Amino acid sequence: MRFILFFVLISSAAFSQRVITGKIIDKESSTPLSGVLIRDTKSENWAMSEKEGNFEIKIPYYENVELNFSLLGKMESTITLKNNENYITVFLEDNTLRLKEVVVTANKERQYSELTLGKNAINNVQAFSLDDVLKQLPGQTTANFELNSFKNIVFRTASSLTATKAFGTSFVLNDIPISNNENMQALNPNASTIAGSDYGVPGKTFNNPDVGVDLREISTNTIEDIKVIQGIPSAKYGDLTSGLVLITTKVGNSPYRVSASLRDATSELNLTKGVKFNSNNAMNFGINYLDSNADPRDNLLDFQRVNGSLSWQVKNNSSKIKNTISASFRSTLDNAKYDPDDITASVVKNEKKGFSISDNFMWKPNHLWIDGININSGFSYDRQFSRKDKWANTSATAASNTSEEGIHEAYILPSQYTSISTVEGIPISTFVSLETTKVISNKANWVHSFVFGLSGRSSSNKGEGRKSGVAGLINFYTLDTGGETKLGYRDYDFNKTKTEIQISAYLEDRIYKKFEDHRILNVDLGIRYDNQSGYVSLQPRINSSLSLNKTFRIRGGLGMSSKAPSLNQVYTGDRYIDRLIGDGIYTYPGVYQKAWIQTIITSGDNLNLKPSKSYRTEAGIDINLPFASVNFTGYYNKLFDGFSYQKLPVYKVLPKPVVTVIGSEIPTYEINGTEKFYYFTNSIANSTTSEDTGAEAIINFKKIKALNLDVSMNASYVRSKDFSDVKQYITSTNLSSIERYGVFNPRPDIQDNMTMSFNFSYHIPSVGLLIGLRSEHVLYKNSNSLTNNYPIGYLDNELVYHEIPKQDQTDLQKYGHLIQTNKETDYKMQNMLHNFHLRVSKDFLNGFSVSLYATNFLNVKPYYYDEKNIKTLSDVANFSFGTRLNYEF
């Protein structure tokens, strides 16, 4: 902060501005283009072209200017103007395969490590969702094609904590965050497994609370570009710890675009259209339908998606004000239907319907000291319903739905019945931000672009909540043996939860300075203030780069960020421990069936849960060679105070029931003193730490013009270490000993892997033909879970901790009833894995285009021998073929 103020104070502000004018023309039709967004890449200053294609943009510094021109359906153009150039004519081309240059890979932009995927890179894979597109990034690999389980993503990690880290990946659509904080679709939020795994089928989970945004819900039909920041994000962005994905759509005139895609048992239809009412008004709409069966032979497991969007953009005559209102609706359905060949299989339905409304307002005031004011706001509303039916065929079982502690008469369930559990949620999120910008330069040509912003967001859930009681619905969780104890489930109204509020402020100074000999310095200095439901943090962030000459540029950055816990992690409801007393269910045929359940209640909400935090650093070098551009990046990231599940031993002194049975008389019970009842209670704590250390390389070779061939490659190596602060408590095998539980240090997990990918694109612009070959190679993969079999201490019968001396921890005679025999697990991939994907696309002059895609088109099936010497197929994407047809009119 002092550094920023220092620059302001010493700067002799030059308020005179350089005015650049020009005209933008459609290259194909030679007609002027209005509504083109012109952006100064150094200061983020902007302007829009008017009716006749003319524009005027004021630049508050006298250096070479880099202007970016973008319009829906046109190829973006970035042009550099020297000091003496104040007028320019720009020609924009249609973004088709008939362009001279088509970039189908992630492109590193600006001065740092962010990657941008443009429209052609999005189309480089048959993208049924955003997940398919992001698999092209370094460190990612293509998995088997299926849409019947939620999809999330993490960057720069080999960690086994995929769920925890994916929750920290932020997605922002047109400056509005896509939130999953209010998703509570879980029956048991405190379980050690994925919270939403209650609703799904074996190997496939439908729900995604606490594990990030479900990328299946985001279709790509209206997306123009995607920017991925795996390193240090701008101070503008918060509520993240793992990475940032910025999604941009555009509004403008465009023809009707109809497309149909087919792959295996998945089909998709898209329709988009842009209408330009006049030079100041434009509207776009799009609709998407997708249906995906897990098996082409039946529809027992099906995923359906319907999305629609409408955007209206208006600007004033002077192009100083631009406002875009967007509305969208969405509907998804995971449906595991009744299988007549397996009556024991669960019938599961997971449905989500909702809408979003957002507004993006941009204003360049003429008579204020500031250069620009941006106001963004958004509102999102969904209705979620999850239901699971399972047929049961068991001996007599008992259940309870009491919400009071004590001994209660149990419900005796029939031997055959269908159990039902449901969750109904209404997640609601809001977001609003105000941002001001000001650019100042001095006589030494230092350029400071200041950005100050305030933002607020809220997350709430107003659904009826969890229902799995025996009143009306037959309980899925039952008891059948005397003394058996289980974690019971009760109805829980989500209206009992509080609204999560986040208030933020940020200040950033984007510094630019050009020295002699082509040396250019860029520094983004920022600090962010976050108040996340009462937990306050200050997060400094810095990105920097220095071009040493035309060939070499070095860069580096570091920063901190935080991620608030979800409502599902904080508000879990009380824990109900149900215990069947006596000998269980007492039965006298034709006379009675009787049972009692003793219920113990433990407070459940994790109200002390704090935001998780992340510390991220990176350093890199960019080399611009005559034959290629090369980018190397090394990084170290640390997640701490991460969310993890813990089991803690507790006990309660309970009345001791004794059941009396006399012949055919209905049994009774009486209390005979008290007893200590020991049990484990589950909770969520800030106890996870994970470190990722790695390196990435991206090489884009110059086009081989004689062969019309573009070649690029990327490589990634990462080593992850996960460990926890939560002690492990294991029950003694000798219950008569004074050592009730052994206490063990947690075991760290270490994983590392190395991947590489090549992309070959053969492109003939004159005929609109593109043939692409993409290869993926997993060169190395290793995981190691260390063991800790010796206790560091124990809990006695009063649960008081006693430390065990180091020399006694391995003493079998003293502590053999506590010592464990777990084996260290060490996995090393035996052989490198390779996969090859093919794309053939053809643009016709009559508006038709067709693309053919094949995953693992060589049908590679690598095998290895597991620890039992059994020949096993490696985990690579199977052969899959698809096609996409497009028509514009």
Side-chain angles (χ1 to χ4, degrees):
M1 179 68 73
R2 292 180 179 177
F3 184 64
I4 296 174
L5 293 175
F6 173 74
F7 265 103
V8 176
L9 292 174
I10 68 169
S11 295
S12 174
F15 290 99
S16 60
Q17 294 183 324
R18 176 183 175 187
V19 178
I20 295 176
T21 58
K23 188 166 187 173
I24 306 172
I25 298 173
D26 187 317
K27 187 172 183 180
E28 280 75 23
S29 64
S30 299
T31 57
L33 291 173
S34 63
V36 177
L37 179 65
I38 303 102
R39 182 175 54 86
D40 173 25
T41 61
K42 295 185 183 68
S43 67
E44 298 298 328
N45 217 348
W46 62 274
M48 296 189 73
S49 61
E50 300 173 357
K51 182 178 180 180
E52 299 302 323
N54 299 315
F55 73 91
E56 176 185 285
I57 184 170
K58 295 180 180 179
I59 306 298
Y61 58 89
Y62 287 85
E63 285 289 335
N64 289 353
V65 175
E66 189 178 74
L67 297 180
N68 176 269
F69 301 83
S70 64
L71 181 68
L72 178 66
K74 299 295 182 180
M75 187 65 185
E76 282 193 20
S77 178
T78 300
I79 299 175
T80 300
L81 285 80
K82 296 182 179 180
N83 289 345
N84 58 349
E85 293 179 295
N86 292 320
Y87 184 87
I88 185 173
T89 301
V90 180
F91 294 89
L92 294 184
E93 300 179 81
D94 290 341
N95 193 4
T96 69
L97 292 181
R98 296 182 182 274
L99 286 171
K100 290 183 179 179
E101 298 289 337
V102 174
V103 180
V104 298
T105 57
N107 182 35
K108 200 185 85 63
E109 281 194 345
R110 290 193 65 188
Q111 58 271 19
Y112 309 130
S113 65
E114 64 268 31
L115 298 171
T116 298
L117 294 152
K119 195 67 177 179
N120 289 313
I122 294 172
N123 292 331
N124 193 43
V125 294
Q126 190 175 13
F128 289 96
S129 72
L130 184 60
D131 175 69
D132 298 316
V133 178
L134 298 180
K135 291 301 183 185
Q136 302 178 83
L137 296 174
Q140 306 292 331
T141 55
T142 302
N144 275 336
F145 175 71
E146 61 93 12
L147 289 169
N148 301 101
S149 182
F150 77 84
K151 305 288 185 184
N152 59 13
I153 195 165
V154 290
F155 303 114
R156 290 182 172 177
T157 186
S159 170
S160 59
L161 301 176
T162 303
T164 299
K165 293 193 172 183
F167 185 55
T169 303
S170 177
F171 291 82
V172 178
L173 174 62
N174 296 328
D175 282 331
I176 307 296
I178 301 173
S179 177
N180 193 44
N181 291 356
E182 45 290 324
N183 185 349
M184 300 184 70
Q185 295 299 111
L187 198 60
N188 181 15
N190 284 294
S192 58
T193 56
I194 293 176
S197 60
D198 306 294
Y199 296 100
V201 296
K204 299 181 187 298
T205 300
F206 299 158
N207 283 328
N208 61 309
D210 312 340
V211 293
V213 173
D214 187 355
L215 301 182
R216 297 180 304 165
E217 299 178 7
I218 304 176
S219 61
T220 61
N221 61 319
T222 59
I223 296 177
E224 287 298 309
D225 66 67
I226 302 164
K227 182 175 291 185
V228 181
I229 300 171
Q230 302 178 95
I232 295 86
S234 163
K236 175 179 180 178
Y237 302 103
D239 201 39
L240 56 90
T241 51
S242 299
L244 174 64
V245 179
L246 303 176
I247 306 169
T248 302
T249 63
K250 296 177 183 177
V251 181
N253 187 42
S254 66
Y256 282 101
R257 291 190 175 98
V258 181
S259 67
S261 294
L262 182 66
R263 184 175 181 183
D264 295 346
T266 299
S267 57
E268 182 186 36
L269 296 173
N270 288 298
L271 171 64
T272 60
K273 169 63 178 171
V275 180
K276 192 170 185 179
F277 302 111
N278 53 47
S279 60
N280 293 335
N281 283 269
M283 180 177 291
N284 286 76
F285 71 86
I287 189 167
N288 167 269
Y289 170 78
L290 179 141
D291 183 82
S292 179
N293 291 319
D295 192 325
R297 297 167 297 181
D298 58 55
N299 64 347
L300 294 178
L301 183 57
D302 181 49
F303 172 72
Q304 294 181 352
R305 180 187 72 205
V306 180
N307 288 342
S309 62
L310 179 68
S311 297
W312 176 37
Q313 185 178 99
V314 59
K315 66 181 183 69
N316 65 351
N317 290 329
S318 63
S319 298
K320 299 292 184 181
I321 295 176
K322 183 183 76 166
N323 192 76
T324 305
I325 300 176
S326 301
S328 64
F329 72 89
R330 54 192 167 270
S331 174
T332 60
L333 173 64
D334 284 290
N335 204 4
K337 302 172 186 176
Y338 172 74
D339 186 353
D341 297 325
D342 185 5
I343 60 175
T344 63
S346 299
V347 177
V348 185
K349 181 179 181 180
N350 185 60
E351 188 175 20
K352 179 178 180 180
K353 295 180 178 179
F355 67 91
S356 297
I357 300 174
S358 65
D359 186 80
N360 304 102
F361 175 80
M362 301 174 69
W363 177 31
K364 292 181 14 178
N366 288 325
H367 304 294
L368 295 179
W369 182 75
I370 56 178
D371 294 332
I373 297 176
N374 303 324
I375 301 175
N376 301 300
S377 59
F379 174 82
S380 177
Y381 175 96
D382 288 290
R383 295 188 70 96
Q384 296 176 284
F385 180 76
S386 304
R387 176 179 171 126
K388 184 174 184 177
D389 297 15
K390 185 173 179 61
W391 183 77
N393 182 14
T394 65
S395 58
T397 56
S400 174
N401 69 340
T402 183
S403 58
E404 297 180 358
E405 194 166 79
I407 300 174
H408 308 276
E409 187 171 344
Y411 292 87
I412 308 300
L413 304 181
S415 59
Q416 294 184 347
Y417 64 93
T418 299
S419 65
I420 302 173
S421 63
T422 66
V423 181
E424 182 182 348
I426 302 179
I428 301 171
S429 65
T430 64
F431 175 80
V432 63
S433 69
L434 169 65
E435 182 179 86
T436 61
T437 62
K438 178 63 182 177
V439 181
I440 297 176
S441 63
N442 62 13
K443 294 179 180 179
N445 290 324
W446 286 85
V447 180
H448 298 269
S449 300
F450 290 98
V451 181
F452 174 74
L454 301 170
S455 66
R457 60 193 297 177
S458 69
S459 299
S460 61
N461 198 309
K462 302 302 180 182
E464 293 187 8
R466 301 191 291 267
K467 293 183 179 180
S468 186
V470 293
L473 301 175
I474 298 179
N475 203 314
F476 185 74
Y477 303 90
T478 60
L479 305 169
D480 58 11
T481 305
E484 183 182 9
T485 302
K486 283 186 178 180
L487 179 63
Y489 295 85
R490 304 293 190 268
D491 291 2
Y492 181 73
D493 189 348
F494 288 165
N495 284 284
K496 295 179 181 179
T497 65
K498 296 181 180 180
T499 299
E500 180 184 87
I501 302 293
Q502 300 188 49
I503 304 296
S504 305
Y506 58 91
L507 175 64
E508 194 166 54
D509 181 12
R510 300 167 184 171
I511 303 169
Y512 171 85
K513 170 62 177 175
K514 183 177 181 181
F515 301 95
E516 296 179 354
D517 302 322
H518 304 285
R519 290 181 297 128
I520 298 175
L521 174 68
N522 287 279
V523 181
D524 287 4
L525 287 172
I527 189 164
R528 181 180 178 87
Y529 164 88
D530 267 335
N531 185 327
Q532 296 171 300
S533 297
Y535 292 97
V536 175
S537 63
L538 287 176
Q539 303 165 15
R541 301 179 191 176
I542 179 172
N543 276 300
S544 61
S545 71
L546 175 63
S547 298
L548 303 175
N549 48 46
K550 289 185 177 182
T551 303
F552 295 99
R553 176 170 60 185
I554 55 175
R555 49 188 164 77
L558 58 88
M560 294 185 66
S561 58
S562 63
K563 172 64 182 174
S566 70
L567 295 178
N568 190 63
Q569 292 170 324
V570 176
Y571 299 101
T572 59
D574 292 338
R575 291 16 162 229
Y576 292 83
I577 306 297
D578 291 334
R579 180 189 188 196
L580 196 58
I581 70 171
D583 294 329
I585 300 173
Y586 295 87
T587 303
Y588 196 100
V591 180
Y592 65 79
Q593 273 190 315
K594 195 74 171 178
W596 295 270
I597 287 179
Q598 190 172 32
T599 298
I600 302 97
I601 302 176
T602 304
S603 178
D605 291 342
N606 303 299
L607 299 178
N608 294 323
L609 202 60
K610 303 179 296 184
S612 63
K613 297 181 178 63
S614 175
Y615 174 74
R616 308 177 73 81
T617 61
E618 69 173 17
I621 184 170
D622 302 327
I623 306 173
N624 189 19
L625 300 172
F627 60 89
S629 61
V630 183
N631 315 115
F632 292 104
T633 304
Y635 57 87
Y636 169 78
N637 302 326
K638 182 176 182 179
L639 172 72
F640 56 99
D641 285 341
F643 310 122
S644 64
Y645 300 92
Q646 62 179 4
K647 295 177 66 174
L648 298 176
V650 295
Y651 79 83
K652 279 193 175 184
V653 178
L654 302 176
K656 183 178 181 180
V658 176
V659 178
T660 302
V661 182
I662 303 175
S664 62
E665 295 181 12
I666 296 177
T668 59
Y669 76 89
E670 60 182 14
I671 303 302
N672 184 14
T674 60
E675 62 179 341
K676 287 182 179 179
F677 175 64
Y678 296 87
Y679 61 98
F680 285 94
T681 180
N682 294 347
S683 61
I684 304 173
N686 296 102
S687 55
T688 293
T689 301
S690 180
E691 297 177 346
D692 301 306
T693 306
E696 291 176 348
I698 299 175
I699 303 177
N700 292 303
F701 295 94
K702 300 293 184 182
K703 185 172 184 175
I704 305 174
K705 294 183 178 180
L707 301 176
N708 285 324
L709 184 67
D710 286 291
V711 181
S712 64
M713 65 84 65
N714 66 68
S716 171
Y717 171 79
V718 59
R719 183 180 189 271
S720 300
K721 182 179 181 181
D722 305 325
F723 42 96
S724 173
D725 299 329
V726 175
K727 297 289 190 292
Q728 293 179 310
Y729 301 90
I730 300 178
T731 305
S732 168
T733 57
N734 182 3
L735 296 182
S736 63
S737 69
I738 63 170
E739 299 90 11
R740 187 83 191 186
Y741 298 98
V743 182
F744 299 81
N745 279 323
R747 297 176 295 178
D749 293 332
I750 300 173
Q751 303 90 14
D752 58 347
N753 62 49
M754 184 175 184
T755 61
M756 185 176 291
S757 178
F758 291 87
N759 200 92
F760 303 87
S761 295
Y762 174 69
H763 179 218
I764 306 178
S766 60
V767 296
L769 177 66
L770 178 68
I771 301 175
L773 173 64
R774 185 164 58 93
S775 68
E776 296 177 341
H777 313 275
V778 181
L779 306 179
Y780 179 80
K781 193 171 186 179
N782 177 54
S783 64
N784 179 261
S785 295
L786 303 177
T787 59
N788 200 342
N789 289 325
Y790 301 106
I792 60 170
Y794 66 87
L795 301 181
D796 63 19
N797 289 327
E798 295 298 321
L799 301 185
V800 176
Y801 176 73
H802 302 268
E803 185 176 355
I804 298 177
K806 183 76 172 178
Q807 65 273 16
D808 293 339
Q809 292 176 6
T810 58
D811 192 327
L812 287 172
Q813 187 173 357
K814 287 184 178 180
Y815 300 110
H817 54 292
L818 300 179
I819 294 174
Q820 304 298 299
T821 58
N822 298 316
K823 294 183 179 181
E824 180 176 322
T825 59
D826 190 8
Y827 165 79
K828 289 186 178 179
M829 189 176 68
Q830 296 174 6
N831 301 303
M832 292 186 292
L833 302 179
H834 309 282
N835 215 336
F836 302 89
H837 316 300
L838 182 67
R839 171 201 179 185
V840 180
S841 297
K842 176 71 172 73
D843 242 344
F844 298 93
L845 293 175
N846 57 2
F848 275 103
S849 63
V850 60
S851 295
L852 305 176
Y853 301 89
T855 299
N856 191 4
F857 77 100
L858 297 179
N859 200 22
V860 177
K861 293 183 177 181
Y863 286 86
Y864 68 96
Y865 290 91
D866 63 14
E867 64 276 4
K868 297 180 181 179
N869 204 35
I870 299 175
K871 189 177 181 180
T872 305
L873 180 64
S874 296
D875 185 20
V876 298
N878 294 328
F879 170 76
S880 178
F881 175 80
T883 184
R884 179 187 293 267
L885 299 174
N886 299 275
Y887 180 54
E888 294 185 7
F889 61 96

